[in-house]
Amino acid sequence: MKGRIPISPTLRTISDTKNLKQQDNTVKKRLIVMSLLAVLIAVCTSLIAKFLVLLISVITNVSFFGHFSASNTSPSLNTLGVWVIVIPVVGGLIVGLMAYYGSAAIRGHGIPEAMEKILTNKSKIKPTITYLKPISSAIAIGTGAVMTAATIAGAAADLSAYPAPFVTNGQFNGLIVVGEK
């Protein structure tokens, strides 16, 4: 039947039906394997995410309260007074040293920089980045170094320099969200 126009698309020879059944079984097996791999990756990713949240909590508790605990505590409850300003600075210095001596690839927000590394390095990422980036992110978030940079940048910005849709009569019309939840 090869090379000819079939009378009906549903008409097949017996040999074509056997090949089709073998292909169906192969497709089903591959589908099951791919589905199991997807579930395994999802479970591993969720465990890693939970570990990262716990690491952020530990760093927050060590930095602001001086005790080793994984409990979720707000840094606003600290009793450091004015000295609380030093903690984000120290966190930023630690992350800066990690970037300088460890890998410059940990700089930035994460996804755009990771995509850049994947595109420019032919999908090859150094193994050190796989643990340096999450640890540096946990230190930056846990010590408040991330919010320090955003606050300083926001305070130093000149509102008249913003694009027109965000500024009306010299006033910023937008929403800036900073906080725990």
Side-chain angles (χ1 to χ4, degrees), residues 117-162:
K117 292 294 176 193
I118 289 170
L119 291 173
T120 58
N121 294 338
K122 298 180 182 177
S123 298
K124 294 178 185 174
I125 297 177
K126 294 179 187 175
T128 55
I129 296 171
T130 60
Y131 64 86
L132 281 179
K133 181 64 180 174
I135 292 172
S136 67
S137 295
I139 292 171
I141 294 168
T143 61
V146 176
M147 297 316 297
T148 304
T151 305
I152 291 170
D158 179 15
L159 292 180
S160 63
Y162 279 97

Side-chain angles (χ1 to χ4, degrees), residues 11-164:
L11 291 178
R12 292 191 170 98
T13 62
I14 295 173
S15 64
D16 285 347
T17 306
K18 287 180 184 177
N19 288 338
L20 195 62
K21 286 180 182 178
Q22 289 174 350
Q23 287 176 351
D24 282 347
N25 288 336
T26 305
V27 169
K28 286 178 185 177
K29 288 177 186 176
R30 289 185 65 197
L31 180 64
I32 291 170
V33 169
M34 294 300 285
S35 297
L36 291 174
L37 283 174
V39 169
L40 179 67
I41 290 170
V43 168
C44 290
T45 303
S46 64
L47 292 174
I48 291 168
K50 184 66 176 171
F51 174 74
L52 183 61
V53 170
L54 289 174
L55 185 60
I56 292 169
S57 295
V58 167
I59 291 171
T60 300
N61 285 322
V62 169
S63 300
F64 289 94
F65 303 104
H67 65 274
F68 188 86
S69 171
S71 64
N72 191 6
T73 311
S74 173
S76 65
L77 303 174
N78 74 73
T79 57
L80 297 173
V82 173
W83 291 105
V84 76
I85 296 170
V86 175
I87 294 173
V89 173
V90 171
L93 288 172
I94 292 170
V95 172
L97 290 172
M98 288 174 70
Y100 186 76
Y101 290 108
S103 174
I106 67 170
R107 295 180 183 149
H109 299 292
I111 300 298
E113 287 77 11
M115 293 302 294
E116 178 186 357
K117 292 294 176 193
I118 289 170
L119 291 173
T120 58
N121 294 338
K122 298 180 182 177
S123 298
K124 294 178 185 174
I125 297 177
K126 294 179 187 175
T128 55
I129 296 171
T130 60
Y131 64 86
L132 281 179
K133 181 64 180 174
I135 292 172
S136 67
S137 295
I139 292 171
I141 294 168
T143 61
V146 176
M147 297 316 297
T148 304
T151 305
I152 291 170
D158 179 15
L159 292 180
S160 63
Y162 279 97

